Amino acid sequence: MSRRRNIRRPSQRRDSLTLTLLPSEVIRQTLSNLDWRTLLTLRLVCKFLCSMVDKSPPAQYLIELAMSGLEDNKRSSRLTTASRLALLKERNAHWNTLQWVESRDLPLLQDDDEWQFCGGVLAQSNLLGTMRLYQLPSQYRNIPARSWRIPILSNTEDFTMDPAQDLLVLVEKPILIPAHNNTKSYMWIWIHPRSLTTGHAHPSAVKVIDYHLYMQSAKLEMELSIQTCNKFLAILLIVEDNTSELTLWNWQTGESILRSSSLEIATFAFLTPQLLLVGTVMDETGVAEPRLFVLDISKPSTKKVALTNDCVCVFGFPSFDFVVSPVTILIRSDPSPGCKPNSEAHVPFSIAHGQRLFLITTWVEEKQETVSYDLFVLENVLLSSVMALPPQTRRHVINWNEWGPTGTRFLKSPPHSHVWTGNVFGSKFVSFVTDTAGRSSQILQIWDFNQLAIKRAAALGFEKEDMRLVNDITVIKDKAFARRVRTSLPYTITTRTLPPPRSPGEPTFTNAMLDEDTIVLVNCDYCRLRVLTF
């Protein structure tokens, strides 16, 4: 005779209550070890976890940092997490409404002097061997204003700087060595890594880097572009005789990392500390065709690098009509990848890796008229295409239709300066518009391509008086292109009309730049800058 046995089943209610029975401190500690994506997922599990996440300052701080395109500065421990969260929310509220907390004017040196705006520091050099520097303030990141002067070489041709590494790079005026006894003419340049604080030799760098460039003619007219990224220093020289050479060094040791000579190289930028983005407007046969090449700089190369043969991949552009001639191309992005705040600054947060916007401007000539087009693309859009390639890939072509239509925004250039080029920082772009309706008012616009912030705003209901969401498709119908160009990367535009001039003789401003904490308005005619501090 068989008997029925009762099988004891686990209580589902008891299992579901296990987590709630843990001490609150244990739960809060667990939440502090999770990333922001997991925290957002936990909020959807149940009301209890949603409440725990919402009441946890560390959890809210991580989420708010991600939505803002920022990351925590773990080297700074002066503020509690709750204080950092409060500062971050206040900072975002002011940027979202363009409500700066302070405005101050700075004199600008003469037009023929060199300047640089990087990492919250404005530097101006003169012909007398002196550089004047201003550290622009930030209320929310606790950065004080200060100014100082340092000695520099009186024959400085150009310079760049990286305040996070206390680095100033001076490039001397080149010396031309003319051809002699069947030898080519060549240009000799000395490059000096210095301390941005003192102007003296940088303690972590070689004293000087020698550089020479063989030329086809004995002309010194040239364009010079300099950028740094961590230990790398890159210089692009474009000489009037159509000689272009891109060279990369380790500025700490002076070791040559990469050298590429090509007629088509027009611009470059660091995509990552291991990848270089190089822009061209014509192919190796001389046919007009803007492209973006990606070069691997992780290993030094003793031979000259050829773009078409040694690139990892190349991004194609929309096809231009055969009657249109692209003139040149310029890539802008700031800060450099891998850039970290100076350890002495003690800032609570800074721009996160992967949150940089690239602005790529192409000038074309059609019927004796020059027109420019801007391509806005985020770093992670380019990187996702590169990282999807198998290891050791070379010369892979990524056609425009594979990355452009949904991953970029392509349009005729909005108002912005091509001289004062500091108009991109992080995921933001600044545009300065003068009212054409007969009034003297000027309009400041911030375009923000931060996709996480856009998604959150859309989920909460996008209703803001001075901010609008652009998520429709942009269609370029110009005859400059072989076919219509459609792009749809969403972005927001925040607008503010500037206050009228304080007095009848006060000048209006013509250009704008921005960085993490400030917007800088420029008027070259009156040699004046106005710094709007957040």
Side-chain angles (χ1 to χ4, degrees):
M1 180 177 179
S2 62
R3 293 190 300 176
R4 183 176 181 180
R5 300 177 61 187
N6 289 327
I7 301 176
R8 188 168 183 171
R9 300 179 181 275
S11 169
Q12 292 183 352
R13 177 172 178 78
R14 184 174 62 187
D15 283 356
S16 65
L17 294 176
T18 301
L19 186 59
T20 64
L21 295 176
L22 290 174
S24 296
E25 184 59 35
V26 173
I27 298 176
R28 285 194 291 267
Q29 184 62 36
T30 302
L31 294 179
S32 67
N33 292 318
L34 301 177
D35 61 75
W36 65 270
R37 289 185 176 87
T38 305
L39 290 170
L40 289 178
T41 302
L42 278 178
R43 292 187 75 258
L44 305 176
V45 173
C46 63
K47 290 183 179 179
F48 171 73
L49 286 177
C50 181
S51 176
M52 290 299 297
V53 171
D54 290 348
K55 292 179 180 179
S56 168
Q60 287 301 299
Y61 182 53
L62 280 178
I63 293 171
E64 194 67 26
L65 281 173
M67 296 298 110
S68 308
L70 302 172
E71 63 185 17
D72 184 52
N73 179 18
K74 294 181 173 56
R75 295 180 292 180
S76 175
S77 57
R78 293 185 173 184
L79 298 174
T80 64
T81 301
S83 297
R84 294 178 189 224
L85 176 60
L87 275 178
L88 178 57
K89 287 185 174 181
E90 189 176 359
R91 174 240 186 222
N92 288 347
H94 280 256
W95 269 106
N96 289 339
T97 55
L98 289 183
Q99 299 295 323
W100 45 87
V101 297
E102 182 184 13
S103 172
R104 67 173 66 188
D105 287 0
L106 294 176
L108 183 67
L109 298 180
Q110 299 301 316
D111 290 344
D112 55 351
D113 294 330
E114 298 294 333
W115 64 272
Q116 180 83 212
F117 182 44
C118 177
V121 175
L122 177 68
Q124 301 178 84
S125 66
N126 59 34
L127 302 177
L128 302 177
T130 301
M131 179 174 289
R132 183 170 59 182
L133 300 109
Y134 299 94
Q135 178 180 277
L136 305 184
S138 168
Q139 174 175 317
Y140 301 111
R141 295 203 304 147
N142 195 31
I143 299 175
R146 69 185 184 99
S147 63
W148 69 103
R149 293 175 183 265
I150 59 175
I152 62 171
L153 301 170
S154 59
N155 62 338
T156 297
E157 174 72 20
D158 203 352
F159 70 93
T160 192
M161 60 184 180
D162 182 351
Q165 301 187 88
D166 189 34
L167 176 64
L168 171 68
V169 179
L170 302 177
V171 179
E172 286 192 44
K173 291 186 181 296
I175 296 176
L176 180 64
I177 310 298
H180 180 67
N181 291 338
N182 297 322
T183 62
K184 290 184 177 180
S185 300
Y186 64 93
M187 184 186 299
W188 201 287
I189 300 177
W190 286 271
I191 304 162
H192 303 263
R194 299 285 183 90
S195 164
L196 190 63
T197 303
T198 65
H200 303 312
H202 195 287
S204 301
V206 294
K207 186 175 181 180
V208 65
I209 298 173
D210 292 337
Y211 172 58
H212 64 272
L213 172 66
Y214 287 101
M215 305 165 58
Q216 298 177 16
S217 65
K219 294 183 179 180
L220 273 177
E221 288 80 5
M222 66 176 187
E223 296 179 16
L224 182 64
S225 178
I226 319 168
Q227 293 186 37
T228 63
C229 176
N230 295 350
K231 63 181 180 181
F232 293 128
L233 165 66
I235 292 183
L236 172 62
L237 268 174
I238 302 177
V239 188
E240 191 181 67
D241 65 354
N242 292 326
T243 300
S244 296
E245 183 160 283
L246 176 62
T247 310
L248 186 74
W249 296 272
N250 180 326
W251 60 266
Q252 297 174 346
T253 65
E255 178 187 17
S256 177
I257 306 296
L258 174 144
R259 195 163 184 170
S260 180
S261 296
S262 175
L263 295 179
E264 61 263 25
I265 297 177
T267 185
F268 76 96
F270 286 94
L271 180 56
T272 72
Q274 295 79 35
L275 297 173
L276 200 63
L277 195 64
V278 180
T280 70
V281 290
M282 65 178 68
D283 64 17
E284 57 278 5
T285 64
V287 175
E289 182 184 0
R291 294 180 294 177
L292 297 174
F293 291 84
V294 177
L295 297 178
D296 185 354
I297 58 175
S298 60
K299 296 179 181 179
S301 175
T302 57
K303 65 181 184 67
K304 281 197 174 183
V305 173
L307 284 183
T308 53
N309 294 330
D310 299 319
C311 69
V312 176
C313 60
V314 54
F315 289 89
F317 267 58
S319 299
F320 284 93
D321 190 85
F322 69 95
V323 299
V324 175
S325 300
V327 178
T328 190
I329 186 171
L330 178 64
I331 305 173
R332 277 161 284 181
S333 183
D334 202 25
S336 65
C339 181
K340 296 180 180 180
N342 192 308
S343 59
E344 298 180 359
H346 299 289
V347 297
F349 39 75
S350 57
I351 292 294
H353 302 309
Q355 293 296 324
R356 295 183 306 138
L357 174 70
F358 283 85
L359 169 57
I360 304 165
T361 303
T362 306
W363 286 265
V364 302
E365 188 174 282
E366 180 185 17
K367 297 179 180 179
Q368 298 182 342
E369 181 182 359
T370 301
V371 181
S372 62
Y373 295 88
D374 283 342
L375 174 68
F376 296 88
V377 58
L378 290 166
E379 174 185 345
N380 55 16
V381 172
L382 297 171
L383 272 182
S384 61
S385 296
V386 177
M387 296 301 139
L389 300 175
Q392 309 303 320
T393 296
R394 288 292 181 271
R395 302 184 297 277
H396 182 80
V397 177
I398 303 174
N399 294 316
W400 168 254
N401 288 335
E402 299 177 55
W403 71 286
T406 58
T408 73
R409 184 67 68 159
F410 189 78
L411 63 165
K412 269 191 173 180
S413 296
H416 65 82
S417 173
H418 299 301
V419 177
W420 296 86
T421 55
N423 44 31
V424 176
F425 193 92
S427 62
K428 293 184 176 69
F429 161 77
V430 62
S431 179
F432 199 60
V433 183
T434 300
D435 193 343
T436 58
R439 299 183 295 271
S440 60
S441 59
Q442 294 182 295
I443 300 170
L444 193 66
Q445 291 186 344
I446 298 292
W447 299 18
D448 196 343
F449 289 79
N450 182 346
Q451 299 302 293
L452 286 176
I454 291 172
K455 290 178 181 178
R456 180 169 70 170
L460 297 175
F462 201 96
E463 293 183 6
K464 296 184 180 180
E465 182 178 353
D466 297 320
M467 181 186 293
R468 66 183 178 92
L469 172 64
V470 180
N471 59 358
D472 55 349
I473 298 176
T474 297
V475 182
I476 302 292
K477 302 178 182 179
D478 296 4
K479 294 181 180 180
F481 298 94
R483 57 188 64 87
R484 292 182 178 182
V485 182
R486 292 178 169 85
T487 53
S488 59
L489 181 67
Y491 63 102
T492 60
I493 300 179
T494 304
T495 302
R496 180 175 174 183
T497 301
L498 294 180
R502 302 167 187 170
S503 62
E506 184 176 88
T508 56
F509 294 93
T510 54
N511 300 301
M513 304 183 291
L514 84 163
D515 76 344
E516 195 160 351
D517 305 295
T518 53
I519 295 174
V520 179
L521 308 181
V522 183
N523 183 290
C524 296
D525 294 336
Y526 287 80
C527 295
R528 181 180 297 182
L529 302 176
R530 177 162 295 165
V531 180
L532 311 176
T533 304
F534 290 83

